[in-house]
Amino acid sequence: MNFLAHIFLSGDDEEVMIGNFIADAVKGKDYLGYSDGIIKGVRLHRRIDAFTDSHVVVGESKRRLRPKYRKYAGVIVDMYYDHFLSKYWENYSEVSLSQFVGNAYQVFQRRIDCLPSRIQLMLPHMIEFDWLKNYAHLEGITGALGGLSRRARYDSGMEYAVSDLKQDYCKYKCEFELFFPELMNFSFQQQKELDQT
């Protein structure tokens, strides 16, 4: 899953949200230097990723993309799924997307000293171009995939992946709708388990 889903799956705890947001920029056991809440968020993020990567429905989405995008298929599916979450947000949350995203941006700005330097540099761009809300639009996904492609180590072609989303839009949407409620339940259970450790 990408930024929006990870933030959403953090629940109401700001520190868990921060940990879930920064987890990809925190390598190995470096997260152990953070507060208990942020550590919980990093661990939750990693469990969400493991669940997602091994899920049969997500595997179908990736299988469709793998011949063209190889190892980047999973990254692209993460972006597609954030698109569906953003576009159909009201199906998953009683809080409006604008309110949720505005609150998340405020939390990250207020706690910017907790964020790794890479995230600190990224955050102003995320807020200025309102990435989390713009995932709902194909133009927003195109921009996000283009940014990922520029940062990729190898030639990925990800900047063209919106055409694949358009081509099989209903299939990806159906797969997201099957998968995401399971992920929500999984995340809720994992948070309870992490509270006990």
Side-chain angles (χ1 to χ4, degrees), residues 82-96:
D82 256 21
H83 163 70
F84 292 119
L85 177 57
S86 186
K87 185 166 184 176
Y88 300 103
W89 179 263
E90 67 278 0
N91 294 339
Y92 303 100
S93 177
E94 295 178 2
V95 177
S96 73

Side-chain angles (χ1 to χ4, degrees), residues 14-43 46 111-120:
E14 289 187 1
E15 295 229 315
V16 172
M17 184 191 297
I18 291 167
N20 212 339
F21 175 57
I22 68 172
D24 284 333
V26 180
K27 301 305 177 191
K29 294 188 176 181
D30 290 349
Y31 69 96
L32 294 174
Y34 287 96
S35 66
D36 289 346
I38 293 176
I39 289 172
K40 178 182 171 184
V42 173
R43 287 178 167 159
R46 292 177 179 180
R111 301 289 302 277
I112 197 162
D113 290 344
C114 295
L115 310 182
S117 57
R118 185 175 74 135
I119 304 295
Q120 289 184 19

Side-chain angles (χ1 to χ4, degrees), residues 68-69 80 142 145 159-168:
K68 189 185 293 188
Y69 300 103
Y80 288 1
T142 299
L145 287 166
E159 65 270 30
Y160 305 114
V162 168
S163 63
D164 298 88
L165 175 59
K166 290 178 182 176
Q167 179 178 316
D168 289 310

